[in-house]
Each structure stands twice: as C-alpha cells, then as structure tokens.
Short mmCIF file of all heavy atoms in Angstrom, two decimals:
data_model
loop_
_atom_site.label_atom_id
_atom_site.label_comp_id
_atom_site.label_asym_id
_atom_site.label_seq_id
_atom_site.Cartn_x
_atom_site.Cartn_y
_atom_site.Cartn_z
N VAL A 1276 -17.01 4.75 -5.12
CA VAL A 1276 -15.66 5.31 -5.08
C VAL A 1276 -15.68 6.81 -5.34
O VAL A 1276 -14.78 7.37 -5.97
CB VAL A 1276 -14.73 4.60 -6.10
CG1 VAL A 1276 -14.57 3.16 -5.76
CG2 VAL A 1276 -15.28 4.75 -7.52
N GLY A 1277 -16.71 7.47 -4.87
CA GLY A 1277 -16.81 8.90 -5.05
C GLY A 1277 -15.84 9.67 -4.16
O GLY A 1277 -15.11 9.09 -3.34
N PRO A 1278 -15.81 10.99 -4.29
CA PRO A 1278 -14.87 11.80 -3.49
C PRO A 1278 -15.11 11.71 -1.99
O PRO A 1278 -14.18 11.86 -1.21
CB PRO A 1278 -15.11 13.22 -4.01
CG PRO A 1278 -15.78 13.05 -5.34
CD PRO A 1278 -16.55 11.78 -5.26
N GLU A 1279 -16.36 11.44 -1.59
CA GLU A 1279 -16.62 11.37 -0.15
C GLU A 1279 -16.05 10.13 0.49
O GLU A 1279 -15.91 10.06 1.71
CB GLU A 1279 -18.13 11.44 0.11
CG GLU A 1279 -18.94 10.27 -0.46
CD GLU A 1279 -19.33 10.48 -1.91
OE1 GLU A 1279 -18.86 11.48 -2.50
OE2 GLU A 1279 -20.07 9.64 -2.44
N HIS A 1280 -15.72 9.11 -0.31
CA HIS A 1280 -15.14 7.88 0.23
C HIS A 1280 -13.65 7.76 -0.08
O HIS A 1280 -12.88 7.25 0.74
CB HIS A 1280 -15.87 6.65 -0.34
CG HIS A 1280 -17.32 6.61 0.02
ND1 HIS A 1280 -17.78 6.41 1.30
CD2 HIS A 1280 -18.43 6.77 -0.75
CE1 HIS A 1280 -19.10 6.42 1.31
NE2 HIS A 1280 -19.53 6.64 0.07
N PHE A 1281 -13.23 8.20 -1.26
CA PHE A 1281 -11.84 8.02 -1.67
C PHE A 1281 -11.22 9.33 -2.11
O PHE A 1281 -10.44 9.37 -3.06
CB PHE A 1281 -11.75 7.00 -2.82
CG PHE A 1281 -12.06 5.60 -2.40
CD1 PHE A 1281 -13.35 5.10 -2.48
CD2 PHE A 1281 -11.08 4.77 -1.89
CE1 PHE A 1281 -13.65 3.82 -2.09
CE2 PHE A 1281 -11.37 3.48 -1.50
CZ PHE A 1281 -12.65 3.01 -1.59
N GLY A 1282 -11.57 10.41 -1.47
CA GLY A 1282 -10.97 11.69 -1.81
C GLY A 1282 -9.54 11.80 -1.32
O GLY A 1282 -9.06 11.01 -0.49
N LEU A 1283 -8.84 12.81 -1.85
CA LEU A 1283 -7.45 13.01 -1.44
C LEU A 1283 -7.33 13.41 0.02
O LEU A 1283 -6.29 13.18 0.65
CB LEU A 1283 -6.81 14.08 -2.34
CG LEU A 1283 -6.69 13.72 -3.83
CD1 LEU A 1283 -6.09 14.88 -4.60
CD2 LEU A 1283 -5.85 12.46 -4.01
N ASP A 1284 -8.39 14.02 0.58
CA ASP A 1284 -8.34 14.41 1.98
C ASP A 1284 -8.64 13.26 2.92
O ASP A 1284 -8.42 13.36 4.13
CB ASP A 1284 -9.33 15.55 2.25
CG ASP A 1284 -10.75 15.19 1.78
OD1 ASP A 1284 -10.87 14.21 1.01
OD2 ASP A 1284 -11.70 15.89 2.18
N ARG A 1285 -9.16 12.15 2.38
CA ARG A 1285 -9.49 10.99 3.22
C ARG A 1285 -8.40 9.93 3.20
O ARG A 1285 -8.28 9.14 4.13
CB ARG A 1285 -10.81 10.37 2.77
CG ARG A 1285 -12.01 11.28 3.01
CD ARG A 1285 -13.30 10.57 2.67
NE ARG A 1285 -14.45 11.39 3.02
CZ ARG A 1285 -15.04 11.37 4.21
NH1 ARG A 1285 -14.58 10.57 5.16
NH2 ARG A 1285 -16.07 12.15 4.45
N ILE A 1286 -7.65 9.85 2.13
CA ILE A 1286 -6.59 8.85 2.01
C ILE A 1286 -5.26 9.58 1.97
O ILE A 1286 -5.03 10.44 1.10
CB ILE A 1286 -6.77 7.99 0.76
CG1 ILE A 1286 -8.10 7.24 0.82
CG2 ILE A 1286 -5.62 7.01 0.61
CD1 ILE A 1286 -8.39 6.42 -0.41
N ALA A 1287 -4.41 9.28 2.90
CA ALA A 1287 -3.11 9.96 2.97
C ALA A 1287 -2.17 9.42 1.90
O ALA A 1287 -2.36 8.33 1.36
CB ALA A 1287 -2.50 9.76 4.35
N ASP A 1288 -1.16 10.20 1.61
CA ASP A 1288 -0.14 9.76 0.66
C ASP A 1288 0.62 8.56 1.22
O ASP A 1288 0.81 8.45 2.43
CB ASP A 1288 0.84 10.90 0.37
CG ASP A 1288 0.16 12.06 -0.35
OD1 ASP A 1288 -0.86 11.81 -1.02
OD2 ASP A 1288 0.65 13.20 -0.24
N PRO A 1289 1.05 7.64 0.35
CA PRO A 1289 1.81 6.49 0.85
C PRO A 1289 3.12 6.92 1.50
O PRO A 1289 3.77 7.86 1.06
CB PRO A 1289 2.04 5.64 -0.40
CG PRO A 1289 1.90 6.59 -1.54
CD PRO A 1289 0.88 7.61 -1.12
N ALA A 1290 3.47 6.19 2.55
CA ALA A 1290 4.70 6.53 3.26
C ALA A 1290 5.91 6.20 2.40
O ALA A 1290 5.90 5.21 1.64
CB ALA A 1290 4.76 5.74 4.57
N PRO A 1291 6.95 6.98 2.46
CA PRO A 1291 8.17 6.69 1.67
C PRO A 1291 8.82 5.39 2.15
O PRO A 1291 8.80 5.07 3.34
CB PRO A 1291 9.06 7.90 1.91
CG PRO A 1291 8.56 8.50 3.19
CD PRO A 1291 7.09 8.23 3.24
N VAL A 1292 9.38 4.65 1.22
CA VAL A 1292 9.99 3.36 1.52
C VAL A 1292 11.48 3.47 1.28
O VAL A 1292 11.95 4.30 0.48
CB VAL A 1292 9.38 2.24 0.65
CG1 VAL A 1292 7.91 2.04 1.00
CG2 VAL A 1292 9.53 2.56 -0.83
N PRO A 1293 12.28 2.65 1.95
CA PRO A 1293 13.73 2.69 1.73
C PRO A 1293 14.10 2.19 0.34
O PRO A 1293 13.29 1.59 -0.38
CB PRO A 1293 14.28 1.77 2.83
CG PRO A 1293 13.13 0.91 3.22
CD PRO A 1293 11.90 1.73 3.04
N GLU A 1294 15.33 2.40 -0.03
CA GLU A 1294 15.77 2.07 -1.38
C GLU A 1294 15.79 0.57 -1.63
O GLU A 1294 15.51 0.12 -2.74
CB GLU A 1294 17.18 2.65 -1.60
CG GLU A 1294 17.70 2.47 -3.01
CD GLU A 1294 19.06 3.11 -3.20
OE1 GLU A 1294 19.54 3.75 -2.24
OE2 GLU A 1294 19.64 2.96 -4.29
N GLU A 1295 16.10 -0.23 -0.61
CA GLU A 1295 16.15 -1.67 -0.80
C GLU A 1295 14.79 -2.34 -0.62
O GLU A 1295 14.70 -3.58 -0.57
CB GLU A 1295 17.15 -2.29 0.19
CG GLU A 1295 16.78 -2.15 1.67
CD GLU A 1295 17.26 -0.82 2.24
OE1 GLU A 1295 17.80 0.00 1.46
OE2 GLU A 1295 17.10 -0.62 3.45
N TYR A 1296 13.72 -1.57 -0.55
CA TYR A 1296 12.37 -2.13 -0.38
C TYR A 1296 11.95 -2.86 -1.65
O TYR A 1296 12.17 -2.39 -2.76
CB TYR A 1296 11.38 -1.02 -0.06
CG TYR A 1296 9.96 -1.47 0.07
CD1 TYR A 1296 9.49 -2.07 1.22
CD2 TYR A 1296 9.07 -1.29 -0.99
CE1 TYR A 1296 8.18 -2.48 1.33
CE2 TYR A 1296 7.75 -1.69 -0.90
CZ TYR A 1296 7.31 -2.29 0.27
OH TYR A 1296 6.00 -2.70 0.37
N SER A 1297 11.31 -4.02 -1.49
CA SER A 1297 10.84 -4.83 -2.61
C SER A 1297 9.36 -5.12 -2.40
O SER A 1297 8.99 -5.82 -1.46
CB SER A 1297 11.64 -6.14 -2.71
OG SER A 1297 11.10 -6.98 -3.70
N ASN A 1298 8.53 -4.57 -3.28
CA ASN A 1298 7.11 -4.86 -3.15
C ASN A 1298 6.78 -6.28 -3.57
O ASN A 1298 5.75 -6.83 -3.18
CB ASN A 1298 6.28 -3.86 -3.96
CG ASN A 1298 6.71 -3.81 -5.41
OD1 ASN A 1298 7.43 -4.68 -5.89
ND2 ASN A 1298 6.27 -2.78 -6.12
N THR A 1299 7.65 -6.91 -4.37
CA THR A 1299 7.45 -8.32 -4.70
C THR A 1299 7.57 -9.19 -3.45
O THR A 1299 6.77 -10.10 -3.23
CB THR A 1299 8.48 -8.77 -5.76
OG1 THR A 1299 8.42 -7.88 -6.87
CG2 THR A 1299 8.21 -10.18 -6.21
N LEU A 1300 8.57 -8.89 -2.63
CA LEU A 1300 8.74 -9.64 -1.38
C LEU A 1300 7.56 -9.42 -0.45
O LEU A 1300 7.05 -10.37 0.16
CB LEU A 1300 10.04 -9.21 -0.70
CG LEU A 1300 10.35 -9.85 0.66
CD1 LEU A 1300 10.48 -11.36 0.53
CD2 LEU A 1300 11.62 -9.24 1.25
N GLU A 1301 7.10 -8.18 -0.34
CA GLU A 1301 5.97 -7.89 0.53
C GLU A 1301 4.69 -8.54 0.02
O GLU A 1301 3.89 -9.05 0.79
CB GLU A 1301 5.78 -6.38 0.66
CG GLU A 1301 6.92 -5.68 1.37
CD GLU A 1301 7.05 -6.14 2.81
OE1 GLU A 1301 6.02 -6.48 3.44
OE2 GLU A 1301 8.19 -6.17 3.33
N LEU A 1302 4.50 -8.52 -1.29
CA LEU A 1302 3.31 -9.17 -1.87
C LEU A 1302 3.32 -10.67 -1.61
O LEU A 1302 2.31 -11.26 -1.23
CB LEU A 1302 3.24 -8.87 -3.37
CG LEU A 1302 2.08 -9.51 -4.13
CD1 LEU A 1302 0.76 -8.95 -3.63
CD2 LEU A 1302 2.21 -9.26 -5.63
N GLY A 1303 4.47 -11.31 -1.82
CA GLY A 1303 4.56 -12.74 -1.54
C GLY A 1303 4.39 -13.06 -0.08
O GLY A 1303 3.75 -14.06 0.28
N ARG A 1304 4.91 -12.23 0.79
CA ARG A 1304 4.77 -12.46 2.23
C ARG A 1304 3.31 -12.37 2.66
O ARG A 1304 2.83 -13.21 3.43
CB ARG A 1304 5.63 -11.46 2.98
CG ARG A 1304 5.64 -11.65 4.48
CD ARG A 1304 6.58 -10.64 5.11
NE ARG A 1304 7.95 -10.80 4.61
CZ ARG A 1304 8.93 -9.93 4.82
NH1 ARG A 1304 8.69 -8.81 5.50
NH2 ARG A 1304 10.13 -10.16 4.35
N VAL A 1305 2.60 -11.37 2.15
CA VAL A 1305 1.19 -11.24 2.51
C VAL A 1305 0.35 -12.33 1.87
O VAL A 1305 -0.57 -12.90 2.48
CB VAL A 1305 0.68 -9.84 2.11
CG1 VAL A 1305 -0.83 -9.73 2.32
CG2 VAL A 1305 1.39 -8.77 2.90
N LEU A 1306 0.67 -12.67 0.62
CA LEU A 1306 -0.13 -13.65 -0.11
C LEU A 1306 -0.01 -15.04 0.49
O LEU A 1306 -1.01 -15.78 0.55
CB LEU A 1306 0.32 -13.67 -1.58
CG LEU A 1306 -0.53 -14.49 -2.55
CD1 LEU A 1306 -1.92 -13.92 -2.64
CD2 LEU A 1306 0.12 -14.49 -3.92
N TYR A 1307 1.17 -15.41 0.96
CA TYR A 1307 1.38 -16.77 1.45
C TYR A 1307 1.33 -16.86 2.98
O TYR A 1307 1.66 -17.92 3.53
CB TYR A 1307 2.72 -17.30 0.96
CG TYR A 1307 2.72 -17.58 -0.52
CD1 TYR A 1307 3.35 -16.70 -1.40
CD2 TYR A 1307 2.08 -18.69 -1.05
CE1 TYR A 1307 3.35 -16.94 -2.77
CE2 TYR A 1307 2.07 -18.93 -2.40
CZ TYR A 1307 2.70 -18.06 -3.26
OH TYR A 1307 2.69 -18.29 -4.60
N THR A 1308 0.94 -15.80 3.65
CA THR A 1308 0.75 -15.86 5.11
C THR A 1308 -0.67 -15.47 5.49
O THR A 1308 -1.43 -16.29 6.01
CB THR A 1308 1.75 -14.94 5.82
OG1 THR A 1308 1.64 -13.62 5.30
CG2 THR A 1308 3.17 -15.45 5.64
N VAL A 1309 -1.05 -14.24 5.18
CA VAL A 1309 -2.37 -13.77 5.57
C VAL A 1309 -3.46 -14.36 4.68
O VAL A 1309 -4.52 -14.79 5.16
CB VAL A 1309 -2.41 -12.23 5.53
CG1 VAL A 1309 -3.79 -11.71 5.95
CG2 VAL A 1309 -1.32 -11.64 6.43
#
C-alpha cells in the first residue's frame, strides 16, 4: 500500500453523492446480490 500503488495521484476523490443517498442501502444491495 505504498504511494506508488495508493497515492493521491492514483486514486481520485470520491464522487459527490446526493443528500438522500444511503450507504447502508448500497452496502446491503451489493452484499446480497454480488
């Protein structure tokens, strides 16, 4: 996990999410489908 693999220039900032976004719903959807 050094800078050459996980540096700030290699991983972009997370995209902004809307106000009604629920990461609990997304986590459950991914966990029970994929």
Side-chain angles (χ1 to χ4, degrees):
V1276 297
E1279 63 275 6
H1280 299 292
F1281 290 92
L1283 296 178
D1284 54 345
R1285 293 185 175 271
I1286 299 177
D1288 294 336
V1292 295
E1294 185 177 356
E1295 64 274 4
Y1296 177 80
S1297 174
N1298 55 14
T1299 307
L1300 177 62
E1301 294 297 328
L1302 178 64
R1304 184 177 299 169
V1305 173
L1306 188 63
Y1307 290 103
T1308 55
V1309 180

